[in-house]
Amino acid sequence: MRFSIIIPTLNEAVGIEACLLALQALRADCELVVVDGGSADGTVSLAMPLADKVLVSKPGRARQMNHGAGHAIGEVLVFLHADTYLPAQALELVAAHLDGIHQWGRFDVRLTGQHVMLKVIACMMNWRSRWTGIATGDQVIFATRGAFVAAGAYPDIALMEDIAFSKALKKISKPACLKAKASSSGRRWERHGVLQTMVLMWWLRGRFACGADPDKLAALYAKGRLWTRG
């Protein structure tokens, strides 16, 4: 199988080199595609020596990932956040689990950081994903190109694009829920408060399921809270 790892970025200069350096050993069987949404901090110039393709698109994670998929050559598309690291032998694991039953999937996730609740939250995310068949971007969604096209790509919405994409992929096949753990930064959880962020994410998912406008939900997500601090 030929793989393409697609990484959407926006002002990721602090971590993009580390992200790409961790993937260099995979480039014999995999292309690295960075899709920038208009960074103003040098992300693009830092990524260029370390990626096979560095593209620029209009901002929006869904839009950027679709743009990258349109320029990628891989049979299997792996969508990786810039603050997330793949587990060991990730591509071998993906290849072994994409078969007639599974045409897409995700990894378990480990949230890195100091707060003890991050381990609990990651366990809850992994359990919920297995139960519902829905994946989040932190869990590194991967799909065959055929499944990606059949699902209609990522919907061009401001938030919850991974949830909506997973629901579309579920109509094609069950997900391969790999136990190997991708490591994703817990920086947002710690910055806004772990418990507060957990409540916020539950509320946003519930509102999205009830048909709320993703643009309005994205504005709340950007603030990191449902209420105004005194």
Side-chain angles (χ1 to χ4, degrees):
M1 288 185 178
R2 177 72 180 179
F3 293 84
S4 294
I5 298 178
I6 299 165
I7 306 168
T9 59
L10 183 62
N11 295 325
E12 293 286 354
V14 171
I16 190 60
E17 287 182 300
C19 170
L20 293 172
L21 285 169
L23 300 171
Q24 295 303 298
L26 305 179
R27 292 178 74 179
D29 300 308
C30 173
E31 67 168 350
L32 305 183
V33 182
V34 173
V35 189
D36 192 73
S39 294
D41 65 350
T43 297
V44 169
S45 60
L46 291 170
M48 279 184 173
L50 299 170
D52 298 288
K53 295 172 183 173
V54 179
L55 311 172
V56 177
S57 81
K58 293 181 180 179
R61 186 171 279 165
R63 190 177 296 130
Q64 290 170 236
M65 291 189 290
N66 289 340
H67 188 68
H71 288 79
I73 63 173
E75 303 166 52
V76 179
L77 306 175
V78 181
F79 299 96
L80 180 70
H81 290 181
D83 63 354
T84 302
Y85 293 82
L86 293 172
Q89 299 181 315
L91 300 188
E92 289 89 341
L93 291 169
V94 171
H97 286 84
L98 289 178
D99 49 33
I101 298 175
H102 304 105
Q103 296 184 48
W104 72 285
R106 78 349 168 235
F107 294 93
D108 275 359
V109 67
R110 174 191 298 111
L111 295 175
T112 61
Q114 300 300 314
H115 201 290
V116 66
M117 281 296 294
L118 291 175
K119 293 182 179 180
V120 176
I121 291 166
C123 286
M124 293 171 62
M125 290 170 62
N126 296 331
W127 176 85
R128 181 186 63 214
S129 178
R130 279 192 169 77
W131 181 55
T132 63
I134 299 296
T136 67
D138 290 337
Q139 293 172 306
V140 190
I141 296 173
F142 55 84
T144 64
R145 181 173 292 279
F148 176 83
V149 172
Y154 280 92
D156 190 6
I157 54 179
L159 193 69
M160 301 292 172
E161 74 287 338
D162 47 1
I163 306 300
F165 185 48
S166 294
K167 289 181 177 179
L169 287 169
K170 278 181 62 178
K171 297 178 181 178
I172 299 166
S173 80
K174 293 181 178 179
C177 296
L178 307 189
K179 293 182 179 179
K181 290 182 172 63
S183 297
S184 186
S185 172
R187 60 185 177 179
R188 177 180 177 83
W189 296 83
E190 293 183 323
R191 181 169 66 248
H192 294 297
V194 171
L195 295 178
Q196 180 171 288
T197 302
M198 182 171 63
V199 171
L200 172 66
M201 296 308 298
W202 284 348
W203 190 87
L204 292 174
R205 286 173 66 105
R207 293 294 297 148
F208 179 73
C210 293
D213 183 353
D215 288 335
K216 293 181 179 179
L217 298 180
L220 290 171
Y221 178 77
K223 289 197 305 182
R225 59 186 184 275
L226 292 173
W227 55 86
T228 302
R229 292 190 178 102

